[in-house]
Amino acid sequence: NLYEPATQSVGVATEDMLSEREEMLARLSAEERTKLQTAPLLSDMQAFKAANSGCSLSDFVRWHSPNDWVDGQLSARMSGDSVWHALWERAEPVRACDQKPLFNVEKEAARALHYIESLSPSALLSQLLSTLLAALPYLLCWEGSGALQAAAQCDSVQSALQRLCALRVARSETMSQDELDELQGALQACESSLARATSLCSKLPACPRLVSELLKNGDAVVLDKRERAAVCEFFRDKSSNAIPLAAEWREFVLRTTHPRPFAEEDGRRDTLSRTYALIGHNDVRVATSLCLDEGEPHE
């Protein structure tokens, strides 16, 4: 049996740290670069050996990189004199808790504090904007009424949020006026879209399709009883608790396509037929329009 060992975390890295690491790797020799890049892999091998006495490289590959275990043997990438073979020979059985840390917590914490202490106000604003833009979708759904949470799921609001979050805040200490204007416009559009969606969701609860159509087109067709009840509740006079008046008229429009005048004749083209009905309390009006295909049948 194989046991999965506890391994070390490589820690977190900011964009600045990643850029500095790339520059440092470019200055190192090939041997030094390989040693630095394979340190996490060597740590995992040592922890695996400590947890599984007498294990082999094949056992480690099956656990660490299952895609390199093909048809019961190592893949071509792992065969021969690969870096993995050399590291496996060097690795000693050492538990992760007894290894040298891959991430120096104290050093990186002191580095982060120094960066904050020496940060200019304009650079701090840029950092805060980047963080707020990334966290905005989560902040909207974190707290608030049910209407606000429902509004945040509307397509129009999601589109506005995506456009806002797609803006990349400049990493320089000062932002240009054009960048600030673009950011302000995106924020205003997002706020306006969210306000409209929240208002509609509070007035028409549990009607996401109706709200979405109103936000998208400005009007919508009521399709079912739930939506009809929500609309009636919205128009009801809340102060007098009065029930809205029943509809005076009901309109129905039926459309269909059918070959006319001879349906059984092959090649006759489909034509549009339409029936309109207006139903009131005391009368009914019906109008029908039919189209005829007077041309020759098509072969």
Side-chain angles (χ1 to χ4, degrees), residues 151-162 193 212 215-216:
Q153 305 303 320
C154 294
D155 293 339
S156 60
V157 176
Q158 288 293 320
S159 298
L161 284 173
Q162 290 175 3
S193 179
S212 179
L215 291 172
K216 182 180 179 181

Side-chain angles (χ1 to χ4, degrees), residues 6-256:
T7 57
Q8 289 198 64
S9 172
V10 296
V12 295
T14 62
E15 291 185 8
D16 295 334
M17 295 171 61
L18 293 175
S19 299
E20 291 178 3
R21 180 181 175 86
E22 291 177 359
E23 294 176 0
M24 180 185 64
L25 290 175
R27 294 192 299 266
L28 297 177
S29 63
E31 183 179 353
E32 293 174 331
R33 189 183 308 115
T34 301
K35 182 178 180 180
L36 184 62
Q37 291 177 323
T38 57
L41 179 59
L42 178 61
S43 173
D44 291 346
M45 287 182 174
Q46 291 177 326
F48 188 82
K49 282 188 173 183
N52 300 277
S53 179
C55 60
S56 63
L57 177 61
S58 299
D59 298 327
F60 177 76
V61 170
R62 288 166 55 194
W63 166 70
H64 194 277
S65 181
N67 291 335
D68 287 306
W69 184 256
V70 182
D71 298 331
Q73 59 183 358
L74 295 176
S75 64
R77 187 172 75 95
M78 293 295 176
S79 303
D81 297 330
S82 66
V83 176
W84 287 55
H85 286 270
L87 287 176
W88 183 258
E89 296 298 328
R90 286 174 44 200
E92 298 292 335
V94 182
R95 296 181 303 171
C97 59
D98 297 328
Q99 298 175 13
K100 179 181 178 180
L102 295 174
F103 184 75
N104 193 326
V105 179
E106 295 182 356
K107 177 183 176 181
E108 297 301 334
R111 182 180 178 182
L113 291 175
H114 174 72
Y115 175 78
I116 295 175
E117 290 173 352
S118 58
L119 198 61
S120 65
S122 58
L124 176 61
L125 175 61
S126 178
Q127 295 287 340
L128 290 176
L129 284 176
S130 299
T131 304
L132 289 174
L133 288 178
L136 188 57
Y138 305 99
L139 292 176
L140 287 174
C141 300
W142 186 260
E143 290 183 354
S145 63
L148 177 60
Q149 295 182 3
Q153 305 303 320
C154 294
D155 293 339
S156 60
V157 176
Q158 288 293 320
S159 298
L161 284 173
Q162 290 175 3
R163 289 192 296 270
L164 178 61
C165 296
L167 292 178
R168 182 177 179 84
V169 180
R171 295 181 60 189
S172 59
E173 292 192 359
T174 57
M175 296 179 64
S176 66
Q177 187 62 43
D178 292 339
E179 291 173 334
L180 289 173
D181 291 341
E182 184 181 11
L183 180 60
Q184 180 184 6
L187 282 170
Q188 289 177 342
C190 185
E191 181 181 14
S192 177
S193 179
L194 180 62
R196 290 196 300 269
T198 303
S199 176
L200 285 173
C201 288
S202 64
K203 295 177 174 64
L204 301 172
C207 298
R209 188 206 63 83
L210 194 60
V211 171
S212 179
E213 289 294 322
L214 289 171
L215 291 172
K216 182 180 179 181
N217 304 320
D219 55 26
V221 177
V222 177
L223 297 182
D224 54 34
K225 293 182 178 180
R226 184 182 68 255
E227 294 179 349
R228 187 178 299 110
V231 172
C232 291
E233 177 65 19
F234 170 69
F235 284 106
R236 182 171 61 83
D237 187 356
K238 304 297 191 302
S239 60
S240 63
N241 202 31
I243 299 176
L245 296 176
E248 293 291 334
W249 300 91
R250 291 188 179 184
E251 295 179 313
F252 299 89
V253 178
L254 305 178
R255 296 184 180 91
T256 184

